[in-house]
Amino acid sequence: MLYLIIDGQASEDQIKEFSKHMKDCTPCYKHHELEQAIKQTLQAKIDNRPIPPGLIESIKTKIRETV
Amino acid sequence: MSENVRQPYNESKKMEIFDREFLPHIRSMYNFAYRLTFDEDDANDLVQETYMKAFRFINSFQEGTNAKAWLFRILKNSFINDFRKKSKEPAKVDYQEVETFYNSDDVDEHITTDLRVETVQDMIGDEVSNALNSLAIDFRTVIILCDLEGFTYEEMAKILDIPIGTVRSRLHRARNLLKDKLKEYANSMGYR
């Protein structure tokens, strides 16, 4: 259930249930914090490379040759 | 593929769908290809090949459906079927075996509970990238699709041709392996 929450795929009831549970359960609270931090760190710190110049043009040229 | 009774698209419609629904995803596609191949030229070739296939099979794409997932699925299949054979990527790991191993009961949770939130947050991009890149390709792939590209489990199941349950267990294992790697980095850098 933790991953459903972290990944934004839990239902409202599941979110409520888990939030309530976390208040009393330190291991779950900490696990949630860590998993969320890892996900956010991946998203924030792994750069997206720009596409190489000419890639789109080269694809379009090849496609024009096939039609 | 042909269960829908639908007229094939004419040439100008094909180009319109290609430009409007396929091309906007090219940066995500290129980054996915790069994270699979670790090589700019290979990633470039893989993306070209994928877009050529997407155009060739455009009649099996239904307008307005999830183009990004459809394209990712083609890219993943091209990589596995055609590309990995040609590239220098080391021999395929038997993932079934890896998965069975990691699904066994003795490996689980809380191996890395001593990894601290602050430690993770302090890591630089290279450390995080290296940890991700060191994972076997099937584990790396689920983290890329879920965390970097934001696909749902259902979309991932379609892209990877595996049941949702397998997506979830593979993601679980992948995240545990990633935590182990992050912990190794943290230790080697003297973080606590």
Side-chain angles (χ1 to χ4, degrees):
Chain A
M1 180 131 93
L2 173 62
Y3 286 151
L4 284 173
I5 309 252
I6 301 273
D7 295 330
Q9 295 179 61
S11 67
E12 273 186 36
D13 284 349
Q14 287 172 317
I15 295 171
K16 271 187 204 157
E17 191 191 322
F18 191 75
S19 308
K20 201 173 151 213
H21 171 76
M22 266 200 305
K23 283 184 188 151
D24 302 320
C25 178
T26 310
C28 279
Y29 174 79
K30 286 194 165 172
H31 192 194
H32 178 267
E33 252 201 330
L34 179 63
E35 293 292 345
Q36 194 160 46
I38 294 173
K39 182 162 180 137
Q40 285 167 351
T41 302
L42 285 169
Q43 290 168 340
K45 298 202 175 164
I46 295 190
D47 288 333
N48 269 320
R49 309 172 80 86
I51 54 169
L55 175 59
I56 293 179
E57 205 35 59
S58 144
I59 291 170
K60 290 194 128 188
T61 305
K62 282 189 185 166
I63 281 173
R64 265 184 242 116
E65 285 165 5
T66 68
V67 293
Chain B
M1 290 253 177
S2 56
E3 67 267 25
N4 302 314
V5 186
R6 187 164 42 74
Q7 290 292 312
Y9 302 119
N10 65 31
E11 293 309 314
S12 73
K13 186 69 184 171
K14 282 185 188 174
M15 292 309 274
E16 186 203 316
I17 292 175
F18 191 84
D19 287 351
R20 184 168 39 83
E21 302 220 37
F22 295 176
L23 280 181
H25 301 294
I26 196 160
R27 192 159 177 212
S28 294
M29 296 281 282
Y30 178 72
N31 276 278
F32 184 39
Y34 184 80
R35 291 176 184 130
L36 294 174
T37 60
F38 299 132
D39 183 277
E40 286 182 6
D41 292 334
D42 286 348
N44 196 75
D45 291 349
L46 185 53
V47 170
Q48 291 210 27
E49 197 179 307
T50 303
Y51 272 97
M52 296 306 291
K53 277 187 195 160
F55 190 76
R56 206 179 316 140
F57 297 111
I58 201 163
N59 280 318
S60 64
F61 172 75
Q62 193 151 15
E63 241 190 314
T65 59
N66 192 334
K68 187 178 173 186
W70 193 75
L71 292 167
F72 265 66
R73 184 170 186 268
I74 300 176
L75 193 148
K76 186 270 303 177
N77 286 337
S78 299
F79 175 71
I80 289 173
N81 299 332
D82 313 329
F83 213 78
R84 195 142 61 175
K85 290 177 197 148
K86 291 182 246 164
S87 76
K88 297 137 251 158
E89 172 94 3
K92 192 176 180 234
V93 181
D94 185 339
Y95 297 109
Q96 201 54 52
E97 201 175 289
V98 174
E99 214 146 53
T100 311
F101 170 74
Y102 281 105
N103 279 332
S104 65
D105 290 336
D106 11 319
V107 191
D108 222 352
E109 300 306 312
H110 309 308
I111 317 166
T112 47
T113 39
D114 50 340
L115 183 59
R116 297 171 65 233
V117 169
E118 296 75 19
T119 306
V120 173
Q121 287 167 339
D122 285 347
M123 284 187 174
I124 59 167
D126 281 354
E127 291 162 348
V128 183
S129 294
N130 288 342
L132 177 63
N133 293 343
S134 71
L135 301 186
I137 197 151
D138 279 13
F139 293 122
R140 191 161 83 229
T141 300
V142 286
I143 290 186
I144 293 169
L145 295 178
C146 183
D147 293 336
L148 300 184
E149 295 299 339
F151 285 112
T152 63
Y153 301 153
E154 198 179 338
E155 288 166 338
M156 289 166 70
K158 284 183 186 150
I159 293 169
L160 301 172
D161 290 311
I162 54 177
I164 289 192
T166 310
V167 169
R168 293 182 63 180
S169 64
R170 195 178 290 177
L171 190 58
H172 189 100
R173 304 308 155 187
R175 283 173 165 161
N176 280 341
L177 291 167
L178 183 67
K179 270 182 279 182
D180 288 342
K181 288 289 170 189
L182 292 173
K183 181 69 190 160
E184 275 174 33
Y185 274 102
N187 287 342
S188 70
M189 299 302 288
Y191 293 130
R192 257 308 301 152

